[in-house]
């Protein structure tokens, strides 16, 4: 009996020591990350706190310059708005500008959206994911400070006023599709824990000065451990882009993002929004419509009119990739890593057909 008690005591002590060591290591790693990434952190601004992350752009800023500029933002500086909040253009000088997303506090859901976005974006560095430069919290509102994308969103180019002055040619659309796919693939496969975006759509794909795609708006993002297959959640996202299984199971998976990306591919190919009744024939499910287009080779009849002289083999290949992404059964959809590979080799239809 005494020996058994000694063994139990020994195991307990070892477990406690292991847990304590993990906590200590976590604290040390966090402090190391903080020293590496933060160049400025200040409490006391209007009862709140401002944090800026280390980057070449932020190095030359004075400690309180950015915050003082945010206090002067007005309706004249608004460049976007929606359920996620209001986005302002913040000019520090002639060569330095930021996009500032303001989220008014007051509801638990708004605060959770801010926390999700901050948690998902805080340590991500990828050429196809919008860079978060810092944030500010106050009792009245939260601010997220992003890199400014001079060419706005893909939605604006395809459906907004800018389409009147500058059309997207096929090489640009292909480049945007591949860049967005690489960004989403990074979230799904290279981040630990994995990140499910849950709101992939054309308005959340922003374009930099080189028309390079950057995935943005992580207010609905969900983190998922590598050994998990899904995360139970409320149905959230944008109608027309949501995967059908969300409504049946209420579970978010990376394959839901794949479905949404398939819808974005169709937008790039057709120039139409997924809510366009004329585009998606009434009473016809999306996947049935796409299947008919692919099987009967109707691509040229539904293609955006500005792409009529584009290479048919590449366009038909991307239609087939979209069809794979839009499979009703999630397990039959490719992963985003597979989608990237297929898009990279879109000039070879054989790659898609052999998948």
């Amino acid at each position: 009996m005494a020996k058994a008690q000694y063994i139990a005591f020994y195991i307990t002590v070892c477990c406690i020591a292991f847990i304590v060591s993990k906590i200590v290591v976590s604290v040390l790693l966090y402090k190391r990350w903080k020293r590496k990434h933060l160049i400025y952190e200040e409490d006391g601004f209007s009862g709140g706190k401002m944090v800026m992350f280390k980057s070449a752009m932020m190095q030359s800023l004075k400690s309180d310059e950015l915050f003082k500029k945010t206090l002067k933002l007005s309706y004249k500086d608004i460049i976007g708005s929606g359920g996620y909040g209001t986005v302002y253009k913040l000019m520090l000088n002639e060569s330095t500008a930021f996009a500032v997303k303001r989220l008014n506090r007051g509801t638990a859901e708004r605060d959770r959206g801010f926390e999700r976005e901050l948690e998902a974006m805080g340590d991500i560095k990828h050429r196809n994911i919008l860079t978060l430069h810092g944030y500010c919290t106050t009792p009245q509102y939260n601010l997220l400070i992003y890199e400014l994308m001079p060419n706005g969103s893909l939605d604006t180019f395809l459906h907004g006023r800018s389409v009147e002055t500058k059309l997207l040619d096929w090489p640009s659309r292909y480049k945007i599709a591949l860049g967005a796919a690489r960004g989403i693939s990074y979230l799904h496969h290279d981040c630990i824990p994995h990140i499910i975006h849950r709101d992939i759509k054309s308005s959340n794909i922003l374009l930099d000065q080189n028309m390079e795609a950057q995935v943005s708006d992580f207010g609905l993002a969900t983190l998922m451990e590598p050994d998990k297959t899904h995360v139970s959640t409320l149905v959230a996202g944008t109608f027309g882009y949501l995967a059908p299984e969300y409504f049946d199971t209420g579970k978010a998976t990376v394959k839901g993002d794949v479905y949404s990306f398939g819808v974005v591919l169709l937008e790039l190919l057709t120039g139409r929004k997924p809510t366009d009744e004329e585009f998606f024939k009434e009473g016809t499910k999306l996947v049935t419509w796409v299947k008919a287009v692919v099987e009967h080779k109707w691509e040229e009849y539904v293609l955006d009119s500005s792409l009529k002289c584009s290479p048919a083999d590449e366009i038909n290949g991307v239609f087939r990739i979209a069809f794979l992404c839009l499979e009703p059964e999630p397990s039959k959809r490719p992963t985003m890593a597979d989608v990237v590979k297929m898009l990279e080799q879109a000039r070879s239809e054989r790659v898609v057909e052999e998948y």
Side-chain angles (χ1 to χ4, degrees):
M1 180 64 71
K3 185 177 181 180
Q5 290 177 336
Y6 174 78
I7 293 174
F9 175 76
Y10 177 77
I11 293 174
T12 302
V13 170
C14 289
C15 290
I16 293 174
F18 177 77
I19 294 171
V20 171
S21 66
K22 286 292 184 181
I23 293 173
V24 171
V25 170
S26 298
V27 171
L28 291 174
L29 287 174
Y30 171 74
K31 288 184 176 179
R32 179 183 176 185
W33 177 92
K34 191 172 180 179
R35 287 195 303 271
K36 180 180 177 182
H37 292 80
L38 302 187
I39 62 171
Y40 176 62
E41 181 173 2
E42 182 71 30
D43 294 307
F45 286 130
S46 301
K49 178 175 71 172
M50 185 150 197
V51 173
M52 295 189 295
F53 302 131
K54 180 179 290 186
S55 70
M57 181 180 290
M58 306 299 280
Q59 289 285 9
S60 60
L61 293 182
K62 294 181 180 179
S63 61
D64 60 347
E65 180 181 4
L66 189 58
F67 183 80
K68 289 179 179 179
K69 289 281 188 178
T70 63
L71 296 178
K72 298 178 181 179
L73 292 172
S74 69
Y75 72 94
K76 296 179 181 179
D77 303 305
I78 293 176
I79 57 175
S81 61
Y84 52 80
T86 304
V87 180
Y88 299 83
K89 181 178 181 179
L90 174 62
M91 294 293 301
L92 290 183
N93 51 54
E94 293 182 357
S95 61
T96 306
F98 297 96
V100 178
K101 181 192 292 188
R102 175 174 172 145
L103 301 167
N104 291 327
R105 306 188 71 166
T107 68
E109 180 55 32
R110 284 178 178 174
D111 287 344
R112 280 196 296 270
F114 169 76
E115 291 166 2
R116 281 193 295 263
E117 191 150 2
L118 189 58
E119 185 176 18
M121 294 293 292
D123 201 24
I124 290 180
K125 293 292 182 291
H126 190 277
R127 63 179 296 179
N128 295 115
I129 297 177
L130 189 64
T131 301
L132 178 66
H133 286 295
Y135 66 91
C136 175
T137 61
T138 76
Q140 293 78 34
Y141 57 83
N142 294 316
L143 299 177
L144 291 162
I145 303 161
Y146 285 105
E147 183 178 357
L148 181 68
M149 294 289 102
N151 280 314
S153 71
L154 174 60
D155 178 79
T156 300
F157 259 89
L158 291 177
H159 315 299
R161 283 176 294 180
S162 64
V163 75
E164 299 171 1
T165 57
K166 185 177 179 181
L167 295 173
L168 281 175
D169 58 15
W170 174 245
S172 296
R173 298 190 195 209
Y174 172 82
K175 177 181 178 181
I176 291 168
L178 181 57
R182 285 171 173 164
I184 301 167
S185 177
Y186 176 82
L187 298 175
H188 288 183
H189 303 290
D190 298 319
C191 291
I192 302 295
H194 301 324
I195 298 174
I196 308 173
H197 188 284
R198 292 210 300 157
D199 201 17
I200 299 295
K201 56 183 178 180
S202 58
S203 60
N204 285 340
I205 297 174
L206 304 185
L207 306 172
D208 67 12
Q209 64 273 15
N210 299 316
M211 298 300 289
E212 189 79 45
Q214 304 221 355
V215 180
S216 70
D217 203 333
F218 287 71
L220 295 177
T222 297
L223 306 184
M224 185 177 74
E225 293 299 330
D227 59 336
K228 304 294 183 183
T229 59
H230 63 267
V231 177
S232 297
T233 181
L234 296 175
V235 175
T238 303
F239 181 77
Y241 296 87
L242 285 173
E245 67 267 16
Y246 278 171
F247 301 100
D248 298 331
T249 66
K251 295 176 180 178
T253 69
V254 293
K255 293 300 184 71
D257 281 355
V258 175
Y259 182 96
S260 300
F261 180 74
V263 180
V264 172
L265 284 182
L266 289 187
E267 281 187 86
L268 284 164
L269 290 162
T270 66
R272 302 290 190 94
K273 280 200 171 189
T275 52
D276 191 332
E277 291 183 5
E278 185 180 323
F279 172 38
F280 298 108
K281 309 297 188 295
E282 187 174 355
T284 304
K285 290 185 177 181
L286 175 59
V287 67
T288 306
W289 182 86
V290 179
K291 184 177 182 180
V293 169
V294 172
E295 287 185 348
H296 298 286
K297 302 185 184 302
W298 292 339
E299 291 93 346
E300 63 177 299
Y301 300 106
V302 298
L303 196 64
D304 190 330
S305 58
S306 66
L307 298 177
K308 293 301 183 182
C309 297
S310 303
D313 56 340
E314 292 182 31
I315 287 174
N316 294 347
V318 176
F319 259 110
R320 290 180 173 85
I321 296 172
F323 174 63
L324 292 172
C325 293
L326 294 168
E327 276 283 354
E329 176 57 45
S331 63
K332 294 182 179 180
R333 296 173 204 152
T335 66
M336 283 307 302
D338 293 328
V339 172
V340 169
K341 292 177 183 177
M342 288 188 288
L343 282 172
E344 288 174 340
Q345 304 176 64
R347 290 180 175 84
S348 172
E349 293 185 12
R350 176 178 54 81
V351 174
V352 180
E353 292 169 351
E354 287 181 354
Y355 171 75

